[in-house]
C-alpha cells in the first residue's frame, strides 16, 4: 500500500526533475493511487507545504547534511525536505512517525547507507529544534524571502511597488492553503438552494462574501467528485475569478468575445449570466484546450458557447470590426496572484518573464479592442498583482486610445469591498485580503461615436 508520503514524494521528485506543475501532477497521482480522503489531504498538504517553504527548509537542512543538499540524489533531497516540513511546520504528526516513515521509504528506494543517513539527519534535527531560528540581523528583502520562502528578486520587486509591510502580508498569505470555492449555476438553482442542498448532505458550506455566486466548502475533498458537479449544479472556481464575469455584466442576447478562454470557467459564467441566450465566442491559442471549454459547456447545459482556436492577437483578422457588445481579455500573465495554488510557480518564474508577458498582453489589447462596438464594454483581467501587467497596462492603453475610458464596476458587487476602486473602474485584489487569488480587473467602455 502506498502512503500519503510516498505519493507526495513522487510529486516532489517529478516537480524537481522535470519542472512539472505540482497541481496537475498531484491530481494525477491522487487519482492513480486512490488514497483515502484523509491520506489525499495529507499528501496535498505535504506537496504544497514542502514546495512553498522550500528555501527556508533548505536553509535549515544545509547545516545537517555534511556533503550539502546539492550533492544528494533528487529523491533523497526531496525526502529530507518532506520530512523536515512535517517536523518543523506540522504539530499533529509525532516526530517518531515522521522518522520511521522516512527511513522505510529510504530503505525501499535506496540502500542501508541512505536510510542510515536519513535517520541520522532527522534525529539531529529533532534534537536541535529549539535552535532552528533565522538570523536576527537581516534586511527586509532577505528577512521576508527567507522567513516566508519567496525568491529575493520577487520580494525586492514587491517591496518597491507595495512596501515591506504589505509584501510580507502577501508572502505569508501565499503559504496558507487555499479555500475551496464553487460557483452556483444560476440556471439550475440559486446559490441559496445549492447552499441548502450541500449543507443538507452534511457538507460544511457557507456563502462567499466576495462573489455573488460563490460558496466556500470545507473538508469535502475533491468537489469534482460530488454528484452535483457532473449534473451541472456548480463549477469549481476561485472567488476572485468569479468577479470577472460580474464586471463584464453581459446581458441576454448579446454577442460576447472571450479572447483567452481556456479552460472555460469564466466563459461558462458569462453564459449563465446571459441565461444562455446570445452568442459567446470562446477563443484560445491551444487546440487541446478547446475541448476543455466544450466539456464545461456540455456539463453545464450551455449551447450559446462556440469555440475557436486562434491567437488572440489575430482575432481582428477573423471577426468584423465593432461586432461585439462585450469583450473579455483575461490576459496571459505572470500568474503571481495564484502562488497559493501553484507554489512551484514562484521558483520557476524569472523576472525577465514579467516584461516579456506584458509585451504579449499589450499586443493583444491593442488589436482586440477594434472588435468592440461603440458603447460596448471590454474587461481586462489578470491573475497577477504586478503593476506593469495591471494598472500600468490599462493606463498605457488609455493613453494611446482616447476612444476608451474607464467605466465604474457594477455597484451591487464591487462597492461592498472596494468602493473607491469600483467607482474608478479598476480593482486589485491581493491574496491576503479575502484569502482568494490575487486578481486584477478593469472595466473599459468604448465611447459612442
Amino acid at each position: 500500500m502506498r502512503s500519503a508520503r510516498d505519493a507526495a514524494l513522487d510529486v516532489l521528485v517529478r516537480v524537481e526533475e522535470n519542472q512539472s506543475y505540482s497541481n496537475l501532477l498531484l491530481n494525477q497521482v491522487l487519482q492513480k493511487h486512490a488514497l483515502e480522503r484523509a491520506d489525499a489531504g495529507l499528501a496535498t498538504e505535504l506537496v504544497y507545504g514542502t514546495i512553498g517553504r522550500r528555501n527556508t527548509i533548505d536553509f535549515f537542512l544545509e547545516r545537517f547534511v555534511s556533503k550539502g543538499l546539492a550533492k544528494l540524489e533528487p529523491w533523497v533531497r526531496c525526502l529530507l525536505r518532506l520530512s523536515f516540513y512535517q517536523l518543523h511546520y506540522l504539530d499533529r504528526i509525532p516526530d517518531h512517525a515522521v522518522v520511521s516513515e522516512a527511513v522505510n521509504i529510504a530503505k525501499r528506494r535506496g540502500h542501508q547507507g541512505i536510510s542510515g543517513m536519513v535517520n541520522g539527519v532527522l534525529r539531529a534535527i529533532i534534537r536541535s529544534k529549539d535552535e532552528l531560528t533565522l538570523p536576527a540581523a537581516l534586511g527586509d528583502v532577505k528577512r521576508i524571502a527567507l522567513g516566508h520562502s519567496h525568491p529575493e528578486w520577487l520580494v525586492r520587486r514587491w517591496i518597491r511597488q507595495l512596501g515591506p509591510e504589505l509584501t510580507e502580508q502577501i508572502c505569508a498569505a501565499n503559504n496558507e492553503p487555499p479555500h475551496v470555492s464553487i460557483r452556483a449555476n444560476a440556471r439550475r438553482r440559486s446559490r441559496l438552494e445549492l447552499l441548502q442542498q450541500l449543507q443538507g448532505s452534511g457538507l460544511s458550506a457557507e456563502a462567499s462574501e466576495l462573489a455573488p455566486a460563490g460558496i466556500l466548502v470545507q473538508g469535502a475533498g475533491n468537489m469534482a467528485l460530488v454528484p452535483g458537479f457532473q449534473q451541472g449544479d456548480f463549477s469549481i472556481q476561485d472567488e476572485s475569478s468569479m468577479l470577472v464575469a460580474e464586471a463584464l455584466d453581459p446581458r441576454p442576447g448579446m454577442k460576447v468575445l472571450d479572447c483567452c478562454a481556456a479552460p472555460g470557467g469564466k466563459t461558462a459564467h458569462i453564459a449563465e449570466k446571459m441565461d444562455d441566450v446570445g452568442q459567446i465566442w470562446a477563443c484560445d491559442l491551444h487546440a487541446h484546450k478547446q475541448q476543455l471549454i466544450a466539456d464545461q459547456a456540455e456539463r453545464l447545459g450551455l449551447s450559446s458557447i462556440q469555440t475557436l482556436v486562434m491567437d488572440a492577437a489575430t482575432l481582428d483578422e477573423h471577426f468584423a470590426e465593432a461586432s461585439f457588445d462585450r469583450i473579455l481579455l483575461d490576459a496571459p500573465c505572470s500568474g503571481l496572484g495564484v502562488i497559493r495554488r501553484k507554489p512551484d510557480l514562484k521558483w520557476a518564474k524569472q523576472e525577465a518573464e514579467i516584461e516579456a508577458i506584458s509585451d504579449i498582453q499589450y499586443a493583444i489589447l491593442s488589436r482586440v479592442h477594434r472588435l468592440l462596438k461603440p458603447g460596448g464594454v471590454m474587461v481586462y483581467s489578470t491573475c497577477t498583482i504586478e503593476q506593469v501587467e495591471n494598472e500600468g497596462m490599462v493606463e498605457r492603453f488609455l493613453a494611446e486610445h482616447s476612444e476608451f475610458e474607464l467605466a465604474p464596476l457594477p455597484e451591487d458587487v464591487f462597492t461592498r469591498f472596494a468602493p473607491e476602486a469600483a467607482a474608478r473602474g479598476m480593482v486589485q485584489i491581493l491574496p491576503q485580503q479575502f484569502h482568494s487569488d490575487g486578481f486584477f480587473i478593469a472595466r473599459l467602455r468604448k465611447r459612442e461615436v
Side-chain angles (χ1 to χ4, degrees), residues 51-362:
I51 293 173
R53 300 282 186 178
R54 193 187 77 187
N55 68 342
T56 313
I57 292 171
D58 286 1
F59 174 81
F60 288 128
L61 273 178
E62 280 291 353
R63 70 180 72 171
F64 298 101
V65 180
S66 57
K67 294 182 179 179
L69 282 174
K71 297 286 182 65
L72 299 176
E73 290 183 65
W75 75 265
V76 180
R77 184 165 56 245
C78 289
L79 178 59
L80 288 176
R81 286 172 175 162
L82 175 71
S83 303
F84 184 93
Y85 176 76
Q86 296 169 78
L87 292 172
H88 192 69
Y89 292 105
L90 298 185
D91 296 328
R92 66 180 184 273
I93 302 176
D95 291 350
H96 66 84
V98 175
V99 175
S100 174
E101 182 80 10
V103 169
N104 288 335
I105 291 173
K107 286 178 180 176
R108 291 198 301 271
R109 284 190 175 236
H111 51 71
Q112 194 71 34
I114 292 178
S115 64
M117 184 274 290
V118 167
N119 183 58
V121 167
L122 296 183
R123 292 191 179 281
I125 290 168
I126 293 169
R127 290 194 299 271
S128 306
K129 268 190 173 183
D130 293 340
E131 301 165 25
L132 298 179
T133 56
L134 298 176
L138 294 175
D140 284 335
V141 172
K142 287 188 178 296
R143 178 180 60 80
I144 295 171
L146 200 51
H148 299 286
S149 268
H150 279 63
E152 285 189 17
W153 71 262
L154 186 57
V155 172
R156 188 177 297 109
R157 187 179 177 97
W158 285 349
I159 286 176
R160 283 201 307 267
Q161 294 176 35
L162 303 165
E165 185 177 346
L166 206 49
T167 296
E168 185 159 17
Q169 291 173 13
I170 291 167
C171 292
N174 284 342
N175 288 322
E176 296 168 358
H179 283 156
V180 174
S181 53
I182 61 173
R183 185 190 77 242
N185 180 0
R187 299 188 68 247
R188 285 186 58 85
R189 61 196 60 197
S190 69
R191 176 170 72 166
L192 179 59
E193 289 170 336
L194 179 59
L195 192 57
Q196 291 170 340
Q197 178 189 330
L198 293 171
Q199 292 169 340
S201 66
L203 294 179
S204 174
E206 61 179 313
S208 165
E209 294 183 3
L210 193 61
I215 293 175
L216 302 179
V217 186
Q218 289 186 334
N222 186 352
M223 288 299 293
L225 303 178
V226 173
F229 178 78
Q230 287 302 332
Q231 296 165 9
D233 289 347
F234 63 84
S235 297
I236 302 166
Q237 187 179 16
D238 183 77
E239 294 169 274
S240 295
S241 178
M242 295 179 206
L243 295 174
V244 174
E246 303 290 352
L248 193 67
D249 193 24
R251 309 293 172 86
M254 284 184 168
K255 187 176 179 183
V256 179
L257 175 64
D258 188 350
C259 302
C260 306
K266 299 178 189 71
T267 315
H269 193 191
I270 291 167
E272 290 165 11
K273 289 184 69 64
M274 293 168 60
D275 199 22
D276 205 31
V277 177
Q279 188 180 41
I280 304 166
W281 281 96
C283 309
D284 200 84
L285 177 61
H286 304 287
H288 69 279
K289 292 185 177 180
Q290 185 178 26
Q291 191 60 46
L292 298 176
I293 304 169
D295 289 346
Q296 289 251 32
E298 183 178 359
R299 181 180 63 81
L300 295 163
L302 301 168
S303 59
S304 59
I305 298 171
Q306 301 180 65
T307 61
L308 176 68
V309 178
M310 185 168 284
D311 184 343
T314 63
L315 287 170
D316 60 335
E317 299 173 7
H318 184 81
F319 294 107
E321 190 169 322
S323 56
F324 289 95
D325 302 289
R326 296 283 190 272
I327 294 178
L328 169 60
L329 175 52
D330 186 49
C333 70
S334 61
L336 294 171
V338 297
I339 289 173
R340 181 189 281 125
R341 296 184 187 281
K342 302 176 181 179
D344 40 315
L345 185 147
K346 63 186 175 185
W347 307 121
K349 193 69 63 178
Q350 302 295 319
E351 187 164 15
E353 294 178 56
I354 296 174
E355 306 304 326
I357 199 73
S358 66
D359 290 340
I360 294 171
Q361 291 163 349
Y362 196 73

Side-chain angles (χ1 to χ4, degrees), residues 425-436:
M426 285 195 290
V427 63
Q428 174 72 73
I429 298 170
L430 299 175
Q432 83 284 4
Q433 288 178 292
F434 308 102
H435 206 81
S436 61

Side-chain angles (χ1 to χ4, degrees), residues 381-392:
S381 62
T382 72
C383 59
T384 189
I385 61 174
E386 272 296 317
Q387 198 274 340
V388 69
E389 299 180 70
N390 294 343
E391 187 168 340

